[in-house]
Amino acid sequence: MSTVLQALRLKGRAPADELAISLACSLSEVEQELQTLAQDHLVVERTTGKRPGWMLTGEGREHYDASLVELRTPAVIDRLSETYGEFLHHNAPVKELCARWQAVSDDAARFEIIDELAEIQEKVSPSLLRAGDVISRFGAYPQRLSAALLKASDDHRFVVSPTVDSFHTVWFECHEDYLLMLDRSREQEGSW
């Protein structure tokens, strides 16, 4: 499966430079892949509106869903379910910390939240790396979470802002990735 297609499915819509950062690829690689996907009618670029960027077409979503079905073997589901349980154990604390972040304005409280998020990142990273042994893209989430926290001390957007590869953005994408791979929904498990 195309990593660019996967990233667009998780993000909904994104410009090429944002995709390059998320995928740790060069901008030219991403742009080339986007052009190929566009020629195959799997993605389209929206150039106007509040949030311009690339997004999946209906055909692209169907292609993505079909490729997921092929990946969902019983062994993959079993191993991902195990690591997902460990990830989900930390989901409520992450949501609480992100909500708290938006309610505080003093630096001391913010640095405390960054430290707590870093502790969670350290705890969840081994399970995400094990998930990466099953589906390689999961192995990138620990580094993306860590990178967001490193930047957060100097640029507070990297905690919860949807406009950068923030801790919350990466966490949300990882959660969505698990849900898609395991064919579950947030409604079913009550994990908004």
Side-chain angles (χ1 to χ4, degrees), residues 3 17 42-43 48 55 63 79 89 93 95 114 125-128 130 139-140 164 173 184 190:
T3 56
D17 58 341
L42 301 177
V43 300
T48 60
M55 56 194 287
H63 177 80
R79 291 182 67 197
H89 174 75
K95 289 192 305 186
I114 291 171
S125 287
S127 63
L128 292 176
R130 286 195 314 278
V164 296
E173 288 176 15
R184 298 181 186 176

Side-chain angles (χ1 to χ4, degrees), residues 3-21:
T3 56
V4 172
L5 197 68
Q6 167 69 24
L8 283 174
R9 175 58 181 90
L10 297 176
K11 290 182 174 297
R13 182 179 314 131
D17 58 341
E18 184 180 317
L19 292 168
I21 291 168

Side-chain angles (χ1 to χ4, degrees), residues 1 3 21 29 49 71 86 116 126 159 173 182-183 186 192:
M1 174 190 314
T3 56
I21 291 168
E29 288 175 300
L71 290 174
E86 295 170 30
E116 290 180 55
V159 177
E173 288 176 15
L182 296 171
D183 198 21
R186 291 178 191 272
W192 300 98

Side-chain angles (χ1 to χ4, degrees), residues 71-82 134-135 182:
L71 290 174
R72 288 187 192 122
T73 66
V76 166
I77 296 298
D78 286 348
R79 291 182 67 197
L80 284 182
S81 293
E82 178 186 315
V134 181
I135 301 291
L182 296 171

Side-chain angles (χ1 to χ4, degrees), residues 50-90:
K50 189 175 181 179
R51 184 158 156 74
W54 291 88
M55 56 194 287
L56 297 182
T57 62
E59 191 175 334
R61 187 175 283 267
E62 288 175 16
H63 177 80
Y64 174 82
D65 290 344
S67 64
L68 278 186
V69 171
E70 293 174 16
L71 290 174
R72 288 187 192 122
T73 66
V76 166
I77 296 298
D78 286 348
R79 291 182 67 197
L80 284 182
S81 293
E82 178 186 315
T83 63
Y84 179 56
E86 295 170 30
F87 173 87
L88 201 54
H89 174 75
H90 298 287

Side-chain angles (χ1 to χ4, degrees), residues 2 12 14 18 20 25 38 55 65 68-69 73 80 82 85 96 105 115 129-130 139 141 147 153 171 180 187 192:
S2 162
E18 184 180 317
C25 296
M55 56 194 287
D65 290 344
L68 278 186
V69 171
T73 66
L80 284 182
E82 178 186 315
E96 187 272 325
S105 58
D115 288 344
L129 291 172
R130 286 195 314 278
Y141 288 116
S153 296
W171 188 270
L180 290 167
E187 293 84 6
W192 300 98

Side-chain angles (χ1 to χ4, degrees), residues 10 78-96 98 117 119-132 137-145 166-182 184 186 189 191-192:
L10 297 176
D78 286 348
R79 291 182 67 197
L80 284 182
S81 293
E82 178 186 315
T83 63
Y84 179 56
E86 295 170 30
F87 173 87
L88 201 54
H89 174 75
H90 298 287
N91 193 51
V94 166
K95 289 192 305 186
E96 187 272 325
C98 289
L117 289 171
E119 288 175 20
I120 290 172
Q121 187 269 333
E122 286 178 20
K123 290 176 185 173
V124 79
S125 287
S127 63
L128 292 176
L129 291 172
R130 286 195 314 278
R137 66 179 176 265
F138 281 93
Y141 288 116
Q143 176 56 37
R144 287 178 65 201
L145 290 167
S166 68
F167 189 93
H168 181 264
T169 296
V170 176
W171 188 270
F172 181 87
E173 288 176 15
C174 183
H175 193 180
E176 189 69 15
D177 204 353
Y178 267 120
L179 292 171
L180 290 167
M181 279 303 305
L182 296 171
R184 298 181 186 176
R186 291 178 191 272
E189 64 179 33
S191 61
W192 300 98

